[in-house]
């Protein structure tokens, strides 16, 4: 890559985003406790603070899980996607304070070790797993918190590069396990506590929302990975698109050799590259060509259309494909060339 | 979990994390830069941010460090078909 790691890659937009997020959160917590004190005077401030933190974390978790599918449905959500990790880390911090606070508040003994005893108590609390009303709901919170910790702790780019992307992704897919765990934590917790059924209802709505959103996106994208078929030309090229389908500076995404490729038009030239950005697999075909370079829509990594290499001093490179333009159609050879291989672009209008 | 199980679990976890903390010192000072060129001039803020993950995932990093691996490039069907990584 060639960028020395910094703690946080802040820019103006991200600062505004983070400030809005922070202020919004503080407003939520304060409002929750104040309204709570007026509405349920029998509850202590501690209980209310605990619930404010827990529900705040849960709310953020819903936002986080919604951004991905929303961004796929409508590109205007993309700016939220780029800053998702700050949301995630903030959510973890809230959940952590909630968990630590609950552990200390409900599990401290008057005379005992202030750290070890509460931990043992949380882990071994409520051993009556035989009845739903006494099921240890806190342990689900602990499991969720452990997963959220791993995700927050590995959110820096360093981890993506060094754990390797498949491991990192698998780790971050655990967010769904964490989500299920939190839902159980809250569902069982409210069942046992004297909290109003409103919360259980809201969590139910949340689950339906998250599931529904993921299903809708899955349904909409079901056709996208259908491999390109049709009879190959004598040299083995496949017909992937009509020239007229390609807008200047943009790409059509098709599937060849088991993965997506981006067929870019740059003026009267057609260049084809593997669709996955080397940074974090951003969809290059949803990006544009700016100043002669393909720009990844996720974080702006650039690639030369001809050879799939990032401009100096960067060293990323992606596989390229050979293309031909014949009789108003674009033909692509499905065999990928090694990343960074220079390919003469096919020319529109100069057909053989 | 019974209380005894919880106790042993906490002891094991504590030991694991203590080892992680010990490992983190040389790793953040030298090892991170060895396995990832971008970490050579990593700021102190960067080091602080990757500390918790280092303490939690130290066995993975240790094995990378021992093998002196450079950060790997992710595999994909296209990269495999083009004969990379073999
Ligand atoms: C060590 C981990 C955790 C512990 C020990 C813990 C403990 C508790 C306790 C004791 C309550 C009941 C509070 C009350 O109503 O009096 C509670 C409620 C709750 N927790 Fe947790 N929790 C943990 C982790 C989490 C996590 C990770 C989340 C979400 C991301 C979460 C979200 C909630 C929510 C939404 C409630 C419901 C608040 C309400 O009853 O109004 N908790 N938790
Ligand atoms: S995925 Fe980050 S720039 Fe492409």
């Amino acid at each position: 890559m060639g960028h020395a790691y910094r703690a946080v890659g802040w820019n103006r937009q991200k600062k505004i985003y983070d400030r809005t997020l922070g202020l919004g959160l503080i407003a939520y917590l304060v409002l929750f406790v104040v309204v709570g004190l007026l509405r349920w005077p029998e509850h202590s401030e501690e209980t209310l603070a605990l619930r404010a933190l827990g529900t705040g974390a849960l709310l953020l978790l819903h936002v986080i899980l919604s951004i991905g599918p929303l961004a796929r449905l409508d590109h205007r959500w993309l700016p939220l996607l780029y800053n998702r990790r700050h949301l995630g880390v903030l959510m973890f911090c809230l959940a952590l304070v909630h968990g630590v606070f609950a552990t200390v508040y409900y599990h401290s003994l008057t005379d005992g070790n202030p750290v070890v005893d509460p931990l043992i108590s949380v882990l071994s609390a409520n051993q009556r797993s035989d009845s739903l009303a006494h099921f240890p709901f806190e342990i689900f919170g602990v499991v969720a918190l452990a997963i959220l910790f791993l995700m927050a702790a590995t959110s820096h780019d360093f981890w993506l590069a060094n754990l390797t992307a498949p491991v990192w992704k698998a780790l971050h897919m655990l967010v769904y396990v964490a989500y299920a765990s939190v839902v159980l934590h809250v569902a069982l917790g409210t069942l046992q506590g004297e909290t109003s059924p409103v919360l259980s209802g809201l969590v139910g709505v949340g689950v339906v929302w998250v599931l529904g959103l993921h299903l809708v996106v899955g349904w909409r994208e079901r056709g996208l990975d259908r491999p390109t078929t049709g009879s190959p030309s004598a040299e083995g090229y496949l017909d992937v698109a009509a020239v007229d389908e390609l807008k200047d500076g943009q790409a059509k995404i098709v599937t060849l050799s088991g993965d997506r490729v981006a067929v870019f038009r740059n003026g009267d030239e057609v260049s084809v590259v593997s669709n996955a950005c080397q940074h974090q697999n951003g969809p290059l075909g949803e990006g544009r060509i700016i100043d002669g370079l393909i720009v990844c829509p996720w974080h702006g990594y650039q690639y030369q259309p001809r050879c799939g290499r990032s401009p100096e001093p960067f060293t990323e490179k992606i596989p390229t494909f050979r293309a031909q333009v014949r009789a108003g159609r674009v033909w692509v050879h499905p065999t990928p060339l090694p990343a960074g291989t220079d390919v003469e672009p096919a020319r529109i209008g100069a057909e053989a | 979990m019974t209380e005894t199980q919880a106790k042993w679990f906490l002891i094991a976890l504590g030991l694991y994390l203590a080892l992680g903390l010990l490992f983190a010192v040389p790793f953040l000072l030298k090892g991170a830069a060895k396995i990832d060129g971008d970490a050579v001039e990593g700021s102190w803020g960067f080091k602080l941010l990757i500390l918790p993950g280092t303490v939690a995932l130290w066995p993975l990093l240790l094995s990378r460090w021992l093998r002196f691996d450079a950060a790997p490039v992710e595999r994909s069907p296209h990269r495999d078909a083009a004969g990379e990584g073999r």
Side-chain angles (χ1 to χ4, degrees):
Chain A
M1 253 168 273
H3 274 318
Y5 288 130
R6 284 179 299 161
V8 183
W10 261 308
N11 57 28
R12 212 180 91 83
Q13 261 172 338
K14 285 194 186 175
K15 279 189 182 151
I16 295 173
Y17 180 96
D18 285 354
R19 206 173 301 142
T20 314
L21 195 62
L23 289 177
L25 195 70
I26 291 170
Y28 174 81
L29 295 178
V30 171
L31 209 69
F32 191 103
V33 174
V34 170
V35 172
L37 280 177
L38 296 175
R39 178 84 175 65
W40 301 286
E42 71 277 16
H43 287 330
S44 67
E45 286 97 338
E46 283 90 345
T47 304
L48 287 169
L50 199 58
R51 291 179 180 176
L53 290 161
T55 53
L58 188 56
L59 202 64
L60 276 182
L61 189 52
H62 277 93
V63 175
I64 291 167
L65 290 176
S66 305
I67 294 175
L70 282 176
R72 303 211 72 87
L73 289 177
D74 187 331
H75 285 208
R76 274 170 295 181
W77 292 96
L78 275 175
L80 278 178
L81 187 72
Y82 309 146
N83 293 309
R84 198 158 47 161
R85 73 176 94 176
H86 290 197
L87 268 181
V89 173
L90 185 68
M91 189 253 313
F92 164 71
C93 292
L94 274 183
L96 180 68
V97 178
H98 165 87
V100 169
F101 193 35
T103 307
V104 172
Y105 186 58
Y106 284 111
H107 296 274
S108 283
L109 309 173
T110 35
D111 51 347
N113 185 311
V115 178
V116 177
D117 287 341
L119 284 176
I120 290 179
S121 168
V122 168
L123 289 175
S124 57
N126 264 335
Q127 285 173 38
R128 309 224 343 237
S129 34
D130 52 330
S131 110
L132 208 54
H134 293 281
F135 204 82
F137 74 98
E138 285 175 307
I139 204 74
F140 288 107
V142 174
V143 169
L145 194 60
I147 294 174
L148 297 179
F149 162 75
L150 278 180
M151 293 178 52
T154 57
S155 62
H156 195 279
D157 271 348
F158 170 84
W159 294 105
L160 184 66
N162 288 285
L163 288 180
T164 74
V167 174
W168 190 87
K169 267 182 223 149
L171 196 66
H172 282 245
M173 283 314 254
L174 284 178
V175 71
Y176 293 102
V177 178
Y179 180 59
S181 205
V182 172
V183 169
L184 283 174
H185 172 68
V186 179
L188 294 171
T190 47
L191 218 68
Q192 292 168 29
E194 74 289 40
T195 340
S196 73
V198 175
L199 183 68
S200 324
L202 283 180
V203 171
V205 172
V207 171
V208 170
W209 162 260
V210 167
L211 274 180
L213 211 52
H214 281 76
L215 285 177
V216 167
V217 170
W219 177 253
R220 279 202 12 163
E221 298 196 342
R222 72 198 179 284
L224 212 58
D225 284 324
R226 214 171 285 145
T228 304
T229 49
S231 44
S233 70
E235 300 115 307
Y237 285 65
L238 287 170
D239 182 349
V240 299
V243 168
D244 299 338
E245 281 179 72
L246 304 177
K247 296 198 195 95
D248 191 18
Q250 298 184 38
K252 176 180 178 185
I253 299 176
V254 298
T255 299
L256 291 174
S257 294
D259 210 351
R260 297 179 191 178
V261 303
V263 182
F264 270 100
R265 173 170 184 172
N266 185 20
D268 61 358
E269 297 182 347
V270 175
S271 291
V272 185
V273 296
S274 189
N275 191 49
C277 177
Q278 188 175 331
H279 181 218
Q280 292 178 11
N281 290 339
L284 292 174
E286 292 173 24
R288 280 164 190 271
I289 296 188
I290 298 171
D291 293 334
L293 297 169
I294 298 168
V295 180
C296 177
W298 280 11
H299 318 93
Y301 276 40
Q302 300 168 314
Y303 300 89
Q304 302 170 43
R306 289 181 59 115
C307 59
R309 289 172 186 268
S310 292
E312 300 274 333
F314 302 105
T315 54
E316 283 76 17
K317 45 189 177 155
I318 51 176
T320 52
F321 293 80
R322 286 158 289 171
Q324 294 176 343
V325 174
R326 270 190 283 128
R329 310 278 315 172
V330 178
W331 295 70
V332 177
H333 200 289
T335 307
L337 302 172
T341 307
D342 189 55
V343 178
E344 188 64 34
R347 273 179 211 290
I348 298 167
E351 309 172 9
Chain B
M1 238 188 274
T2 66
E3 274 192 30
T4 329
Q5 284 168 339
K7 216 172 274 176
W8 281 110
F9 175 76
L10 284 176
I11 290 173
L13 187 69
L15 270 179
Y16 175 82
L17 294 180
L19 285 175
L21 204 57
L22 272 181
F23 169 81
V25 176
F27 180 77
L28 292 183
L29 291 178
K30 275 171 64 184
K34 267 272 167 30
I35 65 169
D36 185 341
D38 288 349
V40 172
E41 288 170 39
S43 65
W44 280 101
F46 159 70
K47 289 184 174 138
L48 199 67
L49 271 197
I50 66 167
L51 175 67
T54 305
V55 172
L57 299 172
W58 62 270
L60 280 173
L61 297 169
L62 180 64
S63 80
R64 286 273 316 282
W65 191 4
L66 289 178
R67 284 183 282 129
F68 285 105
D69 275 357
V73 171
E74 184 178 2
R75 298 176 55 170
S76 75
H78 287 163
R79 289 181 191 274
D80 285 352
E84 277 182 43
R86 260 177 255 150

